[in-house]
Amino acid sequence: MIVRNAQQMKSIREAAQVAATVLDKMCALVTPGMNTYDLDQAGRRFIDELEAESACYKYQVGSRIYPAYTCLSVNDEVVHGIGSLDRVLREGDIISVDVCTRYNGYIGDNCRTMPVARVAPDVQRLLDVTEASMYEGIKAARLGNRVGKISHAVQRVVEKGGFSVIRDFVGHGVGRNLHEEPQIPNFGKPGNGPKLREGCVVCIEPMVNMGKYSVKMASDGWTALSADGSRSAHFEHTVIINKDGPEILSVPLGKEVPALV
Ligand code: MF3
Ligand code: CO
């Protein structure tokens, strides 16, 4: 777990702000009739305008290279969906917009699942519960707590809501690289994992299925889907652990930091 100095923190703060600004601008474009290729390309332009770089474009895992600029996952897609001209958004869909960018040499990473126009009430509840679980996780990200405290807080909210937490993908430390130590599972016991330290920066990102938590891989080699075809939601913030508590860094410039109540 890397602890940052003041200069690094300033850079990290700006990097997270850039990722949040791009996410906001992309979310504002989500509307029925739009396809996810165009939305990804809009993301590419927003990233360009801010003189940042996509941290997922050409991201490599083994021999696989990620081909898009952002991750766009619709309905039963959990994470790492690839924008496509054939994927046209319709009213009632949900879409996870996941933006990770590099700026100042640091990565900012954030995600939000949006309703496309109006969605069914149980689907809206999936979004609300997933977002609430992220905030509970963030609140648990305090000095001296173990990582498991975050995991446990997220899991509690999700399961109380009647949904299930995905096991195959986890949150992570972030910095010069997208995925750093520690891993932050969204399930587990409060006493598990390393202790959180002052100045460490983490991405807290619950992924939640309406049905069972198993996932399967699409034939594109990237897109993860819920195995049972149920809807899936994903919220993520980049957070720094200060002496007096967690601080959300992935907030667009000029926007208010969400209150942790
Ligand atoms: N925010 C995603 C994550 O933390 C970004 C992945 S980049 C990709 O996993 F290339 F794997 F899509
Ligand atoms: Co992430």
Side-chain angles (χ1 to χ4, degrees), residues 56 59 66 71 80 98 100 109 172 178-179 205 222 236:
C56 56
Y59 184 83
Y66 192 74
C71 300
H80 304 160
D98 189 348
C100 54
D109 190 4
H172 50 94
L178 174 57
H179 295 136
E205 50 174 323
W222 283 102
E236 174 177 30

Side-chain angles (χ1 to χ4, degrees), residues 128-142 145 147-158 160 186 196 204-206 235 237 239 246 248 259-261:
D128 295 344
V129 167
T130 306
E131 187 172 25
S133 76
M134 173 188 68
Y135 283 114
E136 281 309 301
I138 293 171
K139 283 197 269 177
R142 301 189 74 89
N145 283 352
V147 163
K149 195 103 178 179
I150 302 172
S151 314
H152 186 73
V154 170
Q155 183 175 20
R156 250 190 55 153
V157 175
V158 171
K160 231 174 81 186
N186 295 301
L196 298 166
I204 297 178
E205 50 174 323
F235 283 80
H237 268 310
V239 173
I248 297 171
L260 291 174
V261 285

Side-chain angles (χ1 to χ4, degrees), residues 12 15-20 23 55-56 71 80 97-102 106-111 170-175 177-179 201-205 234-239 249-251:
I12 292 171
Q17 231 164 39
V18 165
L23 175 61
C56 56
C71 300
H80 304 160
V97 181
D98 189 348
V99 174
C100 54
T101 53
R102 183 179 286 103
Y106 286 96
I107 310 280
D109 190 4
N110 61 169
C111 176
V170 296
H172 50 94
V174 69
N177 295 300
L178 174 57
H179 295 136
V201 182
V202 291
C203 293
I204 297 178
E205 50 174 323
H234 179 195
F235 283 80
E236 174 177 30
H237 268 310
T238 299
V239 173
L249 298 183
S250 41
V251 178

